[in-house]
Amino acid sequence: MTGLPFPLGVPVLTDGFVTLRAHTPDDIEPVYEMATDPATQRWTGIPVPYQRGDAEEFVGRIIPAGWDTAQSLSWAIEVDGRFAGNVDIRGAGPVTDIGFVLHPHARGRGVMKAAVDLAVQYAFAEGGKEVVHWRAQVGNEASLRVAHACGFTLHGTTPGLLYENGRVHDAWTASIRFGDAPTPRTRWRSSLIETAALRLRPLEERDLERIVEACNDPLTRLYLAGLPRPYGIAQAAEYRADSVWQAATGGKETWIFCDPKTDELLGTVAVMGLRGVDEGSGEIGYWTHPSARGRGLTIAAVRAAIEHAFSPDGLDRRRLTLYAAASNGPSNAVARAANFTAFGTQRAAEPLGDGSFDDLVGYELVR
């Protein structure tokens, strides 16, 4: 990292791939392009609608004022001689926040990870900061991946923390302290599994409508009593966001299983409980879309998840458990077909969606 003088006294920071520098008038147009990108407007507090005059104000007045008062240290990100985004260290004291946004042309190349590393290193080494906080709207997976990769400790969800463009949002939060290594604190549990019959992949936004269909099915609702009522796109988005957070913190890996030709969701399977006192164990859970029942697809998906869970290159588990309501014949059949052994029954331990309680059968499988 270098710290060379630049107009306005803004240090130039570079790692040879990414350069952080002062903004110039040439950045006004790409800032405007970035600020009017749909993803940028969805996940940030950038004003909507955004005019070119807003970009002129941001580059020409707001950013220099931040440096003059030390309230906001904002750099332009440059890659291959081209403007690529912004990164900001916000707050004059030892406790500060970071914000960042990337131009669409620069996404998917590791640019923001490198930029955040440079900005955080400067904040600690030259800026007198002791802790840098990160926050983002729940569901902003791209931002979460940057924080995770840069070594931020992922804390959790704070309800109603953000107010952006007239709306209150729950926020994911994380922080990094002086002396922390800029490397991930947890292993991100996300993988793609291909079998002859199925593809297992992480949940995506295009799966939400199928999730809603499955979670409004009467049989699903009977055996997943905790499902929200009503269950719509917002609830499906919350489910997907939770699976992303659980993957990032290493606590759970969730897949949808689908036909490789159509890539349409047929159901989900997960390995849960990956962090805890016994990190060699895990629990299998699953549900099936009504259109996919009775075809042996859930058994195939569970078998694929088990193989990944036991593999040293996968989750490296030694023992898996599975639980099913005693009256749920298909779920118990999946457990037996996957070679689980029943080890006991808890009486009236499983709440059902109709308000009654069922016995709960426990299964185990040991590598």
Side-chain angles (χ1 to χ4, degrees), residues 163-294:
Y163 183 72
E164 297 177 344
N165 289 318
R167 293 187 60 192
V168 174
H169 300 276
D170 297 346
W172 283 333
T173 62
S175 66
I176 188 168
R177 292 177 177 269
F178 177 78
D180 287 348
T183 55
R185 295 282 179 269
T186 56
R187 180 177 172 183
W188 192 297
R189 302 291 189 178
S190 180
S191 59
L192 176 67
I193 302 173
E194 299 275 5
T195 74
L198 293 173
R199 172 182 297 128
L200 278 67
R201 61 165 173 80
L203 281 73
E204 300 179 5
E205 287 201 342
R206 58 196 169 100
D207 301 318
L208 298 186
E209 289 188 4
R210 294 279 288 180
I211 293 171
V212 171
E213 291 170 3
C215 291
N216 280 308
D217 172 72
L219 191 62
T220 305
R221 298 200 69 88
L222 176 64
Y223 288 113
L224 293 179
L227 287 175
R229 296 173 183 269
Y231 198 103
I233 291 293
Q235 288 70 40
E238 290 173 2
Y239 170 63
R240 177 180 178 269
D242 179 70
S243 77
V244 171
W245 182 264
Q246 293 286 349
T249 54
K252 175 182 177 182
E253 184 162 6
T254 304
W255 302 268
I256 72 118
F257 56 91
C258 57
D259 184 320
K261 295 179 181 179
T262 66
D263 207 40
E264 183 178 62
L265 179 149
L266 301 173
T268 69
V269 59
V271 183
M272 306 171 284
L274 299 178
R275 298 186 70 189
V277 176
D278 181 4
E279 296 202 355
S281 65
E283 180 185 342
I284 295 283
Y286 46 85
W287 54 257
T288 310
H289 191 280
S291 67
R293 293 174 184 155

Side-chain angles (χ1 to χ4, degrees), residues 106-173:
R107 293 171 187 162
R109 300 172 54 192
V111 170
M112 192 55 79
K113 196 274 185 192
V116 169
D117 279 343
L118 288 169
V120 168
Q121 290 170 26
Y122 179 86
F124 290 146
E126 306 293 339
K129 309 303 181 185
E130 295 184 20
V131 60
V132 177
H133 287 271
W134 164 88
R135 60 193 68 184
Q137 289 182 33
V138 167
N140 189 346
E141 181 177 352
S143 187
L144 177 61
R145 284 189 176 274
V146 172
H148 176 269
C150 290
F152 283 70
T153 298
L154 306 181
H155 300 311
T157 300
T158 301
L161 183 64
L162 298 176
Y163 183 72
E164 297 177 344
N165 289 318
R167 293 187 60 192
V168 174
H169 300 276
D170 297 346
W172 283 333
T173 62

Side-chain angles (χ1 to χ4, degrees), residues 305-319:
I306 290 169
E307 182 177 353
H308 177 77
F310 282 153
S311 170
D313 296 326
L315 300 176
D316 197 20
R317 303 291 108 174
R318 57 173 172 74
R319 180 178 183 270

Side-chain angles (χ1 to χ4, degrees), residues 320-333:
L320 295 172
T321 56
L322 187 158
Y323 295 90
S327 63
N328 190 344
S331 188
N332 285 275

